[in-house]
mmCIF file of all heavy atoms in Angstrom:
data_model
loop_
_atom_site.group_PDB
_atom_site.id
_atom_site.type_symbol
_atom_site.label_atom_id
_atom_site.label_comp_id
_atom_site.label_asym_id
_atom_site.label_seq_id
_atom_site.Cartn_x
_atom_site.Cartn_y
_atom_site.Cartn_z
ATOM 1 N N ASP A 175 -8.299 -7.065 -7.326
ATOM 2 C CA ASP A 175 -9.400 -7.626 -8.097
ATOM 3 C C ASP A 175 -9.193 -9.114 -8.388
ATOM 4 O O ASP A 175 -9.303 -9.559 -9.523
ATOM 5 C CB ASP A 175 -9.584 -6.836 -9.401
ATOM 6 C CG ASP A 175 -10.919 -7.137 -10.064
ATOM 7 O OD1 ASP A 175 -11.879 -7.451 -9.340
ATOM 8 O OD2 ASP A 175 -10.983 -7.070 -11.311
ATOM 9 N N SER A 176 -8.863 -9.853 -7.324
ATOM 10 C CA SER A 176 -8.674 -11.295 -7.468
ATOM 11 C C SER A 176 -9.614 -12.017 -6.501
ATOM 12 O O SER A 176 -10.149 -11.417 -5.562
ATOM 13 C CB SER A 176 -7.230 -11.685 -7.157
ATOM 14 O OG SER A 176 -6.949 -11.506 -5.773
ATOM 15 N N ARG A 177 -9.780 -13.286 -6.731
ATOM 16 C CA ARG A 177 -10.644 -14.080 -5.863
ATOM 17 C C ARG A 177 -10.096 -14.087 -4.437
ATOM 18 O O ARG A 177 -10.849 -13.958 -3.473
ATOM 19 C CB ARG A 177 -10.747 -15.507 -6.404
ATOM 20 C CG ARG A 177 -11.658 -16.365 -5.582
ATOM 21 C CD ARG A 177 -11.901 -17.695 -6.242
ATOM 22 N NE ARG A 177 -12.933 -18.405 -5.513
ATOM 23 C CZ ARG A 177 -12.815 -19.652 -5.131
ATOM 24 N NH1 ARG A 177 -11.746 -20.350 -5.446
ATOM 25 N NH2 ARG A 177 -13.779 -20.235 -4.458
ATOM 26 N N GLU A 178 -8.768 -14.229 -4.317
ATOM 27 C CA GLU A 178 -8.141 -14.257 -3.006
ATOM 28 C C GLU A 178 -8.352 -12.935 -2.261
ATOM 29 O O GLU A 178 -8.652 -12.921 -1.066
ATOM 30 C CB GLU A 178 -6.643 -14.559 -3.120
ATOM 31 C CG GLU A 178 -6.328 -15.933 -3.645
ATOM 32 C CD GLU A 178 -6.343 -16.031 -5.170
ATOM 33 O OE1 GLU A 178 -6.524 -14.993 -5.857
ATOM 34 O OE2 GLU A 178 -6.198 -17.147 -5.681
ATOM 35 N N ALA A 179 -8.202 -11.825 -2.969
ATOM 36 C CA ALA A 179 -8.402 -10.510 -2.354
ATOM 37 C C ALA A 179 -9.851 -10.338 -1.920
ATOM 38 O O ALA A 179 -10.118 -9.803 -0.831
ATOM 39 C CB ALA A 179 -7.993 -9.401 -3.319
ATOM 40 N N GLU A 180 -10.781 -10.788 -2.728
ATOM 41 C CA GLU A 180 -12.193 -10.705 -2.369
ATOM 42 C C GLU A 180 -12.485 -11.529 -1.118
ATOM 43 O O GLU A 180 -13.274 -11.121 -0.265
ATOM 44 C CB GLU A 180 -13.080 -11.171 -3.525
ATOM 45 C CG GLU A 180 -13.133 -10.192 -4.676
ATOM 46 C CD GLU A 180 -13.714 -8.842 -4.277
ATOM 47 O OE1 GLU A 180 -14.674 -8.789 -3.474
ATOM 48 O OE2 GLU A 180 -13.191 -7.828 -4.750
ATOM 49 N N GLN A 181 -11.845 -12.685 -0.990
ATOM 50 C CA GLN A 181 -12.044 -13.519 0.195
ATOM 51 C C GLN A 181 -11.512 -12.822 1.447
ATOM 52 O O GLN A 181 -12.146 -12.870 2.501
ATOM 53 C CB GLN A 181 -11.356 -14.873 0.007
ATOM 54 C CG GLN A 181 -12.048 -15.743 -1.008
ATOM 55 C CD GLN A 181 -11.262 -17.009 -1.337
ATOM 56 O OE1 GLN A 181 -10.053 -17.074 -1.148
ATOM 57 N NE2 GLN A 181 -11.965 -18.013 -1.828
ATOM 58 N N VAL A 182 -10.362 -12.159 1.328
ATOM 59 C CA VAL A 182 -9.806 -11.411 2.457
ATOM 60 C C VAL A 182 -10.749 -10.285 2.851
ATOM 61 O O VAL A 182 -11.011 -10.073 4.041
ATOM 62 C CB VAL A 182 -8.396 -10.868 2.123
ATOM 63 C CG1 VAL A 182 -7.908 -9.902 3.188
ATOM 64 C CG2 VAL A 182 -7.401 -12.015 1.950
ATOM 65 N N LEU A 183 -11.270 -9.558 1.873
ATOM 66 C CA LEU A 183 -12.211 -8.474 2.161
ATOM 67 C C LEU A 183 -13.488 -9.016 2.806
ATOM 68 O O LEU A 183 -14.011 -8.411 3.752
ATOM 69 C CB LEU A 183 -12.547 -7.712 0.878
ATOM 70 C CG LEU A 183 -11.447 -6.801 0.343
ATOM 71 C CD1 LEU A 183 -11.777 -6.345 -1.078
ATOM 72 C CD2 LEU A 183 -11.240 -5.610 1.255
ATOM 73 N N GLU A 184 -13.969 -10.134 2.316
ATOM 74 C CA GLU A 184 -15.181 -10.726 2.880
ATOM 75 C C GLU A 184 -14.962 -11.123 4.344
ATOM 76 O O GLU A 184 -15.796 -10.838 5.204
ATOM 77 C CB GLU A 184 -15.596 -11.949 2.060
ATOM 78 C CG GLU A 184 -16.900 -12.571 2.508
ATOM 79 C CD GLU A 184 -17.320 -13.716 1.611
ATOM 80 O OE1 GLU A 184 -17.173 -13.598 0.386
ATOM 81 O OE2 GLU A 184 -17.794 -14.726 2.167
ATOM 82 N N ARG A 185 -13.817 -11.752 4.631
ATOM 83 C CA ARG A 185 -13.508 -12.122 6.014
ATOM 84 C C ARG A 185 -13.382 -10.889 6.901
ATOM 85 O O ARG A 185 -13.819 -10.884 8.047
ATOM 86 C CB ARG A 185 -12.230 -12.956 6.081
ATOM 87 C CG ARG A 185 -12.521 -14.442 5.926
ATOM 88 C CD ARG A 185 -11.286 -15.275 6.069
ATOM 89 N NE ARG A 185 -10.904 -15.593 4.691
ATOM 90 C CZ ARG A 185 -9.697 -15.524 4.189
ATOM 91 N NH1 ARG A 185 -8.678 -15.175 4.930
ATOM 92 N NH2 ARG A 185 -9.464 -15.809 2.931
ATOM 93 N N ALA A 186 -12.773 -9.829 6.366
ATOM 94 C CA ALA A 186 -12.610 -8.585 7.134
ATOM 95 C C ALA A 186 -13.973 -7.974 7.450
ATOM 96 O O ALA A 186 -14.179 -7.436 8.544
ATOM 97 C CB ALA A 186 -11.735 -7.604 6.369
ATOM 98 N N ARG A 187 -14.904 -8.066 6.520
ATOM 99 C CA ARG A 187 -16.260 -7.563 6.775
ATOM 100 C C ARG A 187 -16.940 -8.397 7.865
ATOM 101 O O ARG A 187 -17.572 -7.861 8.775
ATOM 102 C CB ARG A 187 -17.094 -7.593 5.494
ATOM 103 C CG ARG A 187 -16.779 -6.491 4.527
ATOM 104 C CD ARG A 187 -17.716 -6.481 3.312
ATOM 105 N NE ARG A 187 -17.161 -5.646 2.290
ATOM 106 C CZ ARG A 187 -16.447 -6.071 1.242
ATOM 107 N NH1 ARG A 187 -16.236 -7.379 1.064
ATOM 108 N NH2 ARG A 187 -15.965 -5.237 0.359
ATOM 109 N N GLU A 188 -16.796 -9.715 7.752
ATOM 110 C CA GLU A 188 -17.400 -10.614 8.736
ATOM 111 C C GLU A 188 -16.824 -10.376 10.134
ATOM 112 O O GLU A 188 -17.548 -10.479 11.132
ATOM 113 C CB GLU A 188 -17.179 -12.074 8.333
ATOM 114 C CG GLU A 188 -17.969 -12.490 7.128
ATOM 115 C CD GLU A 188 -17.562 -13.862 6.590
ATOM 116 O OE1 GLU A 188 -16.642 -14.497 7.158
ATOM 117 O OE2 GLU A 188 -18.173 -14.293 5.587
ATOM 118 N N ASP A 189 -15.527 -10.061 10.196
ATOM 119 C CA ASP A 189 -14.862 -9.838 11.482
ATOM 120 C C ASP A 189 -15.030 -8.407 11.987
ATOM 121 O O ASP A 189 -14.532 -8.065 13.064
ATOM 122 C CB ASP A 189 -13.370 -10.159 11.370
ATOM 123 C CG ASP A 189 -13.113 -11.647 11.136
ATOM 124 O OD1 ASP A 189 -14.028 -12.469 11.374
ATOM 125 O OD2 ASP A 189 -11.985 -11.987 10.712
#
Side-chain angles (χ1 to χ4, degrees):
D175 195 30
S176 69
R177 182 172 188 229
E178 295 84 4
E180 288 298 322
Q181 289 172 338
V182 170
L183 286 168
E184 184 176 319
R185 271 183 259 135
R187 283 185 195 97
E188 290 170 359
D189 293 343

